[in-house]
Every structure is written in structure tokens, then in C-alpha cells.
Amino acid sequence: MTFEGFLRYMESKDCSLFDQAHTSVYQDMDQPLTSYFISSSHNTYLTGDQLVGKSHLDAYVCALRKGCRCLEIDCWDGPDMEPVVYHGYTLTTKIFFKDVITTVEQHAFEVSAYPVILSLENHCSQEQQEVIAQYLVSILGDKLLRSPLDHPTTGELPSPNDLKYKILIKNKKLKPQIRTEAERSVDEDEDEEEDIEEEEDHQTKSKFWFLRKAGSKTKKKKVVVAEALSDLVIYTRSIKFNSFSHSKDNQNYFENTSMAEKKARKLVKASGADFVQHNQKFLSRIYPAGSRTASSNYNPQEFWNVGSQLVALNFQSLGFPMDLNDGRFQDNGGCGYILKPGLLMSRERSFDPSCSQRRLTTTHLLVKVIRGSNLPVPRGGKALDAFVRVEIHGVPSDSCRKNTHTVKNSLNPYWNTEMIFSISVPELCLIRFCVRDQTGLLSSEFVGQYTLPFTSIKKGEPQRQKEKEEVYIIKPNPVWGSLFLSSFITKSYE
């Protein structure tokens, strides 16, 4: 075999670090929706920032083709009774709601057969909400879930398999016990006041300085849910989060909550175990802070650690958080649903990701980064001063990173560097390999990366049976070409 032939073999699927069995759906898809991480986007319509960015139908197409299963649609009254979608109170461009729904209908199940959730941020009058309901019914047709499934759910949500090729509406829902129109108005006013605090808090800072600057005296209106739209909310009714104890005593299995990252982060630190237990029963959605006007993202790992299913990110913003999201959801065939590990679903054993995990066995990972080939040349023409950073992202006690040394001015750097990691909760871990260009004593620039779940590392042939070693070989991400070849050895100790 020539060297070129050997190189092609090393870069083939046969030598991919990612287990090729995981490129198809292989997990149990008959568990309730609460048992899965669900690929979710925030402000899905935007292609840029939240102040003057463009809204575009292509943003929905791109998200769906990346396996996203929860899309956000911000609905506002438009001209001539045509509801529009945009980031309210800002200068972002507007698109018609009916065009968004038509796009969703066309592309919802191109890459995944599993259910799509449309998370409506509803600011419309009752009249235009009725138009929204009409479009949902007429455009989505049989794909729209309009009534509960026939078989009993015994107090749990249906499974992804139960809801194949179905689209669910996530929105507020009228209370069934309302007796009179007056009582209905009072109840809805109270409910919507809470909803505005919950759903719009993340936008207030970024939006209303526009209004103040322009001298506008526009006042927020109470939004009462139209009955026609309320009737389309089946398993994903939005309610306000009060506390874990309140949810335990009062929340129904078909109700879900949303909260901004700051509030969620406080709960993770103060009551991690309670958060895990909450997410065993109910869907929870986390969204970026309102201060992220440039559509930046938070680290989604901290909320996956407590089992939050709908960890919503700005899909148009490339970078570290989306690298993790892409790595997490390339598993299970890229279908947008990842079965949560057993430790997050156990009713007998409490799990708190903030506490150091004591387990009978610890997983030790030995990574050997050997060399790179055909690294890109920057515009300046000088070859990179490259190094590789290997990162572990999981529970706080597992999260760490290590670097190789820097090889200067080389297209084919040779590192031959070993790194050892001790991992207590491998089921939640992502491994990220990042190539960087050393630009100064303490500065470097991003070149390329590859992220995958620890549990998706393909097992190789044992090299030394006595030490129970297993060898892994990485396949470089095709986006950046043949960056490096590495051997990975995991050791399991008693």
C-alpha cells in the first residue's frame, strides 16, 4: 500500500472515530418525549442579529435540514389580516406567517420522521390568531396533531414513534374550567401577564430601548388566546414556571415551561437534583438571555446536564455552542432526538451534576494526537503555527481541556502528544477536537473542530488484552480536510 492509499484508508468511514452504527436511528424511540434531548432553535426566522437582522424562510429550511425538531415562530399582527413573523419592536425584517408554515410543511420531515414542535411566541390579536389557526389547519393538513392519540398515555407524553410525521403546536391554552366570558377575561389577563414576564423578559432590554429612542409610547397589550388556536394545543401547553415543588403538585404532564438561561442557571446551581427530577416528568425549554442582541449562544451542556429537553440556540450563529449542539445531535442518525442517559431518568437514585460524582469505576481516556496533514494556509501565505486542543464537556467535575505543543510554520505538523483524562459521567460527555493557530504568546485563532459524544466513539480492536485497552482512530471533519490523524486509547480500571 502506498502512503497516499494508506492516507485515504485512514480518512475513510472504516476508520472514522464516530461509530457508523450511530449514523442511523438505533436508540429506543418508544419512551415519552420527556426522555429525550430534542434539537431546538431560538428565533428560528432570523439570519443575523436580533435588532436589525433579516428574517428569512431559508432559516427554517436550514434548521430543519440540520435535524432541528423545535422551531420558534414570533407572531405579530400584520397588514390586511396577514400575521407576520419578526423580532417585535425591532428593525428586523418581516415575513408572512403563512409562508413560514408552508415552508415547514414542505421540509419538516426531509431528514427526520420524528415530531416537530412549533413554539409560538404569540403577540397577535384574537382576530389574527384565528387566521393563524386557519393556516395551521389548512396548510399542515394531516401532519398537524389536532387531538390526543387514541391509546392512553397513563399520565405521560407520547413517544417519538407515536408522533411520527406529526407537527405539534406549543402555545398558551384556554383553561377548561372557565364558566363565563368575564371569568375567562380575568383568568387570561392573569395568565398572560405571567406569560409576558416569562416569554418576553429575554427581549425587553434589547427591544424597548428602540421604542424609548424613537419616542414611541406604544403600550404592551394583554394577549387573550383565541379559542381556535387554543384547540390546536394538545401535548405542549405553555405555562409559567413557579417552583419545582409547585410543578410537582400542580403541573400536568402535557404542560411545559420556558425560562431564560440566567434563571435556569441559578436553578441548576441551587437545585440541580430537583431540576433533574422535574425534567423526568415535564418538558422544559431554555432560551438565550435578552442581552444577547447579536444572537450569540450560551453553553448548552450545563442544561443538558440536568435533563432539559428543549435547549434552544440561535442556529444562525456558528461557534462553540453550536459545535456542541451539532456534536450532540449527530448521534442517533441525526434525527433530532437523543435518548437521555439512564442516570437522568432514574427515579430511585438522585443525580446532581454540580456535585462530584462517585462511581465504582472511572473511565480513563488516553488520547494520542500524532500529526496533521494538509492544513489550510491563511491569506497571508505563511503556514500555520498549529496546535490541537482536546476538550471534555460534561458535568463540571469532568469538564477540562488540554493542548499539544505548537508546531511552527508547518502544513503537516507532527505533535505525537499524549493526554490523559479521567471521566466520571461519560454518558453526558462530548469530546471536542479543535485545531488552532498560535498568533501570540497568549493568543490563538480558530482553524477547525470536530465534536462527538463520548458514547459514539467507535470501539477498535483490543491492543493489549491484559490492560483491556481499546484503540480508536479519528476521521477528520471533511469541512477542513485532512487535519490530523490520531489514535485514541481508553483504559478501564477497577
Side-chain angles (χ1 to χ4, degrees):
M1 183 182 289
T2 64
F3 176 78
E4 290 76 13
F6 174 73
L7 183 60
R8 286 198 299 271
Y9 169 68
M10 294 291 283
E11 293 179 344
S12 70
K13 290 183 178 180
D14 292 330
C15 290
S16 173
L17 177 64
F18 187 80
D19 189 339
Q20 294 303 291
H22 292 194
T23 61
S24 300
V25 175
Y26 69 95
Q27 296 178 346
D28 180 3
M29 304 303 287
D30 289 314
Q31 300 300 312
L33 290 184
T34 48
S35 299
Y36 298 85
F37 297 128
I38 304 172
S39 181
S40 306
S41 72
H42 174 250
N43 290 344
T44 314
Y45 49 90
L46 286 179
T47 60
D49 66 71
Q50 299 181 24
L51 300 180
V52 296
K54 289 185 177 181
S55 304
H56 205 288
L57 296 175
D58 285 350
Y60 285 95
V61 178
C62 290
L64 287 167
R65 287 179 175 172
K66 290 187 74 172
C68 184
R69 300 285 88 188
C70 182
L71 311 173
E72 185 175 36
I73 308 177
D74 289 9
C75 309
W76 297 82
D77 283 352
D80 303 321
M81 290 297 288
E82 285 289 352
V84 293
V85 175
Y86 83 114
H87 207 228
Y89 306 114
T90 69
L91 300 181
T92 57
T93 59
K94 301 175 182 178
I95 52 181
F96 287 117
F97 177 84
K98 66 178 179 181
D99 294 336
V100 171
I101 301 305
T102 299
T103 300
V104 170
E105 191 277 332
Q106 292 172 344
H107 300 279
F109 304 109
E110 275 187 3
V111 301
S112 173
Y114 295 107
V116 170
I117 300 171
L118 300 185
S119 180
L120 304 186
E121 190 173 302
N122 179 13
H123 305 270
C124 291
S125 63
Q126 281 197 306
E127 293 76 14
Q128 295 212 19
Q129 286 183 59
E130 291 177 359
V131 175
I132 285 175
Q134 291 170 9
Y135 282 139
L136 290 171
V137 172
S138 62
I139 296 173
L140 297 180
D142 292 340
K143 295 177 182 175
L144 178 65
L145 185 73
R146 299 186 60 182
S147 60
L149 301 181
D150 291 337
H151 63 82
T153 58
T154 62
E156 292 184 330
L157 290 174
S159 71
N161 271 341
D162 293 330
L163 296 167
K164 268 188 173 181
Y165 301 107
K166 289 296 182 182
I167 296 175
L168 283 65
I169 304 303
K170 175 180 172 293
N171 191 67
K172 302 291 288 188
K173 188 174 178 69
L174 293 173
K175 296 179 180 179
Q177 68 272 25
I178 295 172
R179 291 181 296 276
T180 68
E181 190 66 27
E183 290 172 340
R184 167 177 167 172
S185 178
V186 170
D187 282 347
E188 280 300 313
D189 281 355
E190 292 176 352
D191 215 14
E192 285 301 326
E193 188 171 0
E194 293 176 342
D195 187 48
I196 287 173
E197 175 188 351
E198 186 65 24
E199 294 289 345
E200 291 188 8
D201 179 67
H202 70 298
Q203 302 173 5
T204 303
K205 292 180 182 177
S206 63
K207 289 180 178 178
F208 285 92
W209 74 268
F210 263 98
L211 292 177
R212 290 197 298 270
K213 189 174 182 180
S216 172
K217 295 183 180 179
T218 302
K219 187 177 180 181
K220 289 188 294 183
K221 296 180 181 179
K222 294 283 193 300
V223 177
V224 180
V225 181
E227 187 172 352
L229 181 57
S230 174
D231 289 344
L232 300 181
V233 180
I234 308 301
Y235 292 120
T236 44
R237 175 190 177 188
S238 299
I239 63 167
K240 177 180 169 58
F241 176 82
N242 289 295
S243 67
F244 294 128
S245 59
H246 182 272
S247 293
K248 185 177 180 180
D249 294 335
N250 299 281
Q251 189 169 338
N252 294 304
Y253 72 94
F254 54 83
E255 295 174 328
N256 56 81
T257 57
S258 295
M259 65 183 78
E261 60 173 291
K262 184 177 180 181
K263 181 175 182 178
R265 191 170 292 116
K266 287 182 179 179
L267 292 172
V268 169
K269 293 179 180 179
S271 311
D274 292 335
F275 213 155
V276 170
Q277 291 178 1
H278 174 85
N279 289 325
Q280 290 175 356
K281 297 180 180 179
F282 311 111
L283 291 176
S284 66
R285 179 176 179 268
I286 315 298
Y287 54 80
S291 56
R292 297 183 181 274
T293 55
S295 294
S296 61
N297 284 312
Y298 52 77
N299 182 346
Q301 184 68 45
E302 58 185 324
F303 304 119
W304 290 329
N305 286 343
V306 291
S308 292
Q309 300 87 355
L310 304 168
V311 180
L313 298 179
N314 294 296
F315 270 46
Q316 76 274 26
S317 300
L318 303 181
F320 162 71
M322 276 305 297
D323 292 343
L324 296 189
N325 197 76
D326 292 344
R328 172 72 67 194
F329 287 102
Q330 73 168 310
D331 193 7
N332 204 30
C335 73
Y337 284 81
I338 304 296
L339 187 64
K340 293 195 289 189
L343 57 87
L344 290 177
M345 300 307 299
S346 173
R347 303 291 174 92
E348 292 81 25
R349 180 180 173 187
S350 177
F351 175 77
D352 187 345
S354 299
C355 301
S356 296
Q357 302 301 315
R358 294 183 179 180
R359 298 187 126 189
L360 295 177
T361 59
T362 299
T363 300
H364 297 270
L365 173 66
L366 170 60
V367 178
K368 187 173 184 180
V369 182
I370 302 174
R371 65 166 299 160
S373 63
N374 301 325
L375 268 64
V377 178
R379 290 182 178 178
K382 176 182 173 293
L384 300 176
D385 295 341
F387 68 92
V388 176
R389 175 175 293 162
V390 181
E391 305 167 354
I392 306 294
H393 298 279
V395 297
S397 59
D398 285 342
S399 298
C400 62
R401 68 185 191 186
K402 296 182 180 181
N403 298 338
T404 66
H405 61 281
T406 299
V407 177
K408 293 184 175 293
N409 194 25
S410 175
L411 295 176
N412 303 287
Y414 179 71
W415 294 289
N416 199 33
T417 301
E418 289 188 355
M419 306 173 189
I420 299 177
F421 300 93
S422 295
I423 301 174
S424 59
V425 189
E427 304 98 312
L428 284 170
C429 273
L430 293 169
I431 305 178
R432 183 172 185 256
F433 304 93
C434 186
V435 177
R436 302 189 67 88
D437 180 23
Q438 191 82 49
T439 56
L441 183 61
L442 298 175
S443 60
S444 62
E445 293 183 354
F446 174 84
V447 176
Q449 69 86 39
Y450 180 67
T451 304
L452 79 166
F454 183 90
T455 52
S456 290
I457 296 178
K458 183 173 69 174
K459 295 183 177 181
E461 292 296 324
Q463 297 299 295
R464 302 178 202 166
Q465 295 292 338
K466 291 182 179 178
E467 295 186 20
K468 297 182 182 178
E469 295 184 346
E470 294 178 325
V471 177
Y472 301 86
I473 301 177
I474 187 172
K475 178 189 176 187
N477 189 323
V479 172
W480 26 280
S482 303
L483 281 180
F484 58 96
L485 303 174
S486 306
S487 293
F488 299 85
I489 304 173
T490 61
K491 295 183 179 180
S492 180
Y493 299 92
E494 295 299 328

